[in-house]
Amino acid sequence: MTSQQERTSPQVYPPPPDLAAHAVAQAELYERAGADRLAFWAEQARSLLTWETEPTQTLDWSGAPFARWFADGRLNVAVNCVDRHVEAGHGDRVAIHWEGEPGDRRTITYADLAREVKKAANALLSLGVQQGDRVALYLPMVPEAVVAMLACARIGAPHSVVFGGFSADALRSRVDDAQAVVVVTADGGYRRGAPSPLKANVDEALADRARGGGSVRKVLVVRRTGQDVAWHDERDVWWHDVVDAASEEHEAPALEAEHPLFVLYTSGTTGRPKGILHTSGGYLTQAAYTHRTVFDVRPESDVYWCAADVGWVTGHSYIVYGPLANGVTQVMYEGTPDTPTRERWWEVVERYGVTLLYTAPTTVRTFMKWGADLLEGHDLSSLRLLGSVGEPINPEAWTWYRTHVGSGRTPVVDTWWQTETGGIMISPLPGVTTTKPGSAQRALPGICTAVLDDTGVPVADGGTGYLVVTEPWPGMLRGIWGDADRYVETYWSRFPGRYFAGDGARLDEDGDVWLLGRVDDVMNVSGHRLSTAEIESALVSHPRVAEAAVVGASDDTTGQAVCAFVILRADDGSPPVGEEDTEALVAALRAHVGREIGPIAKPRQVLVVAELPKTRSGKIMRRLLRDVAEGRETGDVTTLADSSVMGSIRAGLGGSAADG
Ligand code: WT7
């Protein structure tokens, strides 16, 4: 898009007047935060949270880039998310309207949640979990996932939630890295009608102590599906035995603001996932503040639905910590949008009167593909605000979302942030910002970002460059678990003193931010972050693969799709690959990646090639492979060591691509 088009484009949406007049966040928030950023955050921390000891310090940046926020304050995160709402007289308010995929439902009030969290805290203590110990959670989208996270927070045992779609191997490596002492899991969970093998995966991950998992003493198992599971008497305990029997009394300790709250693994540019560390007071301040201002939250009347999974950071900050700190009523749904029909979401919105909906662009594009007529029979008039997260939202999807889901009246907020940032960083404020489809627009009050050129100089409006955060923020990661050097190297070395997010961005003529995607070897598939290196190392661990290169190619629905190029081993004793067994081999390689990492990492395509395009120094030129995967003319090949390679890759591709 050119600046000329932007200026003449009529497609901007001022906030609805009634929302603007009464919005939780008004324009003066930018002024207050701009005038004194630290005083602004100190005020947010005091007004949004309940402290056992109020902090007198705001930011300690003396150990930069390791920040400490509100360091002399003490609080309990679970008390802030649950107990205090009950004490304030809101015990009967629904915290969670839960709906299982098969159609079973549970209503959990704040009083219920308080009781369950205390019991689960006592149960974890009875299993020997101590303050500071790590607890791995590998759970479906059931209320026990929320309860377990809050129980960990309550006793000061950092949780490490591992997405239920990850494999046994991926679980083992995360358990090992964090040295988790307990794993909380379920027999399985429902996705598209089929129960997933969660407990079986835990068993596999912990089966062979020589391979890992040796830190785990107990496995706490929620019964969800009722499927048969193997049982290890000395190690496994049922949730309904130990949690149901536990006392409802638990006195929550007041923990330091910098007490670790959780570790969450995310993909980086190497094959090894990074354990992103978040702590308590600053993280919760930002989660509560951003949830309240970006979604214009009214806890007395709103019904909020974030359709993410608790296994990702969106679920941490915008299902568990932000919404519960703000005392809202929310919907939690276990399954997929097409089970049993493609109208499931709209039935859910109607049933609970959802007012605020937060989802990913890939889901919006899927609904677009299915057609707007599926929404027509449903009363969606309760919706008053829509959010988007996880990847750039193209203007078409943004506009479709507003028109068909938001009945042409609701604001849409495109929220940019990361696992590392803990909470939303760039987003419109719904009562203030005139929104532009496709742009995340401005840093929130209290957050300072810039777009830099190669040399670290901020680009002017209209320019393109690298997105950075220029000042520390309360929800920022405190490091990478067990790897301080990697933290400094990954985020703070490209532009010294600036946090480098890994995203490219453009500033338009008004200074609004347009995200352009990752500039490193990280892919974004359906809003999920995947590392090219991780999938490459999974591929080369297969006996038939000599070398692999993975790229993210653009995909109409999922944003990016994983495309793998593999060179087979000549020396493994197998017969040479002919046309007929290529298909079987490709299927085997996709399954292998699914086993090594998880189904989400399975390549959309596996292309068997004889050579890979490399520079003279041996670096794979992924840009050229992306051209092939996206069906484009190959770009500049002059830096290739062997310029004929691209021709032979294209020539050899007939028949070796497999979709699905
Ligand atoms: C990466 C972070 C944020 C929670 C879910 C993903 C991309 C995220 C947007 C957005 C454009 C976005 C970025 C970022 N991303 N939100 N609104 N517009 N891109 O968290 O797994 O840590 O991934 O997701 O590339 O770096 P994550």
Side-chain angles (χ1 to χ4, degrees), residues 148-492:
M149 288 165 77
L150 291 168
C152 288
R154 191 172 184 97
I155 65 172
H159 54 71
S160 164
V161 183
V162 179
F163 174 57
F166 278 126
S167 67
D169 279 339
L171 173 65
R172 183 194 300 113
S173 66
R174 285 159 176 78
V175 161
D176 272 347
D177 190 78
Q179 291 289 292
V181 299
V182 165
V183 179
V184 185
T185 189
D187 45 3
Y190 289 106
R191 268 189 81 76
R192 238 171 236 122
S196 58
L198 294 175
K199 172 64 164 64
N201 285 347
V202 173
D203 291 337
E204 188 187 334
L206 305 182
D208 180 0
R209 301 234 148 183
R211 290 183 68 198
S215 57
V216 175
R217 297 192 296 260
K218 293 285 176 190
V219 177
L220 178 56
V221 190
V222 175
R223 183 140 70 202
R224 165 67 187 127
T225 60
Q227 72 205 81
D228 278 341
V229 289
W231 206 253
H232 301 258
D233 282 331
E234 335 67 43
R235 191 195 70 189
D236 299 345
V237 285
W238 284 109
W239 178 283
H240 57 256
D241 285 336
V242 290
V243 177
D244 289 1
S247 161
E248 294 178 12
E249 303 299 322
H250 177 266
E251 198 170 326
L255 301 170
E256 290 184 4
E258 284 297 339
H259 190 82
L261 179 61
F262 65 84
V263 176
L264 181 58
Y265 286 84
T266 189
S267 298
T269 54
T270 72
R272 211 160 56 82
K274 310 178 274 201
I276 302 300
L277 172 65
H278 284 287
T279 59
S280 303
Y283 168 82
L284 194 64
T285 298
Q286 189 168 342
Y289 158 74
T290 52
H291 180 254
R292 189 166 169 277
T293 54
V294 170
F295 297 100
D296 188 52
V297 163
R298 325 246 158 201
E300 334 56 62
S301 52
D302 273 321
V303 178
Y304 164 84
W305 181 17
C306 168
D309 190 284
V310 290
W312 308 107
V313 75
T314 308
H316 284 57
S317 301
Y318 299 106
I319 292 177
V320 181
Y321 293 111
L324 296 178
N326 289 332
V328 304
T329 295
Q330 71 177 308
V331 168
M332 184 176 180
Y333 170 58
E334 179 187 33
T336 60
D338 55 354
T339 308
T341 74
R342 292 176 170 182
E343 288 169 62
R344 183 66 184 263
W345 271 39
W346 317 120
E347 286 160 11
V348 169
V349 168
E350 235 179 334
R351 178 153 40 248
Y352 302 103
V354 172
T355 59
L356 313 168
L357 178 65
Y358 194 26
T359 190
T362 188
T363 313
V364 175
R365 289 192 295 263
T366 301
F367 291 135
M368 275 175 84
K369 210 165 59 184
W370 291 348
D373 47 326
L374 291 179
L375 285 72
E376 264 149 33
H378 299 279
D379 178 7
L380 306 182
S381 61
S382 56
L383 289 169
R384 67 180 190 91
L385 189 102
L386 306 174
S388 173
V389 60
E391 49 176 327
I393 180 161
N394 46 311
E396 298 70 33
W398 193 108
T399 306
W400 191 94
Y401 195 22
R402 185 179 188 280
T403 306
H404 296 286
V405 182
S407 312
R409 22 172 207 91
T410 65
V412 173
V413 289
D414 174 15
T415 62
W416 178 88
W417 59 294
Q418 309 179 296
T419 304
E420 291 87 339
T421 69
I424 298 170
M425 303 291 276
I426 302 179
S427 166
L429 284 180
V432 179
T433 314
T434 292
T435 51
K436 292 176 187 169
S439 171
Q441 302 200 272
R442 277 183 77 175
L444 288 176
I447 302 295
C448 304
T449 60
V451 178
L452 306 182
D453 70 13
D454 249 332
T455 66
V457 175
V459 304
D461 289 351
T464 297
Y466 303 97
L467 181 65
V468 298
V469 186
T470 58
E471 298 292 342
W473 65 102
M476 67 191 288
L477 74 166
R478 300 303 196 262
I480 294 176
W481 188 261
D483 200 343
D485 292 346
R486 190 174 177 193
Y487 167 65
V488 177
E489 166 63 26
T490 306
Y491 304 106
W492 300 92

Side-chain angles (χ1 to χ4, degrees), residues 135-150:
V135 176
L137 311 185
Y138 186 61
L139 284 160
M141 283 286 286
V142 291
E144 286 79 3
V146 178
V147 171
M149 288 165 77
L150 291 168

Side-chain angles (χ1 to χ4, degrees), residues 452 455-456 470 491-500:
L452 306 182
T455 66
T470 58
Y491 304 106
W492 300 92
S493 67
R494 178 70 180 80
F495 301 106
R498 306 279 181 262
Y499 169 85
F500 175 44

Side-chain angles (χ1 to χ4, degrees), residues 604-623:
R604 181 187 70 184
Q605 284 170 294
V606 177
L607 307 168
V608 179
V609 294
E611 284 170 285
L612 288 169
K614 289 188 183 158
T615 61
R616 282 169 200 97
S617 62
K619 196 170 159 358
I620 293 170
M621 293 191 69
R622 287 202 174 70
R623 174 173 58 79

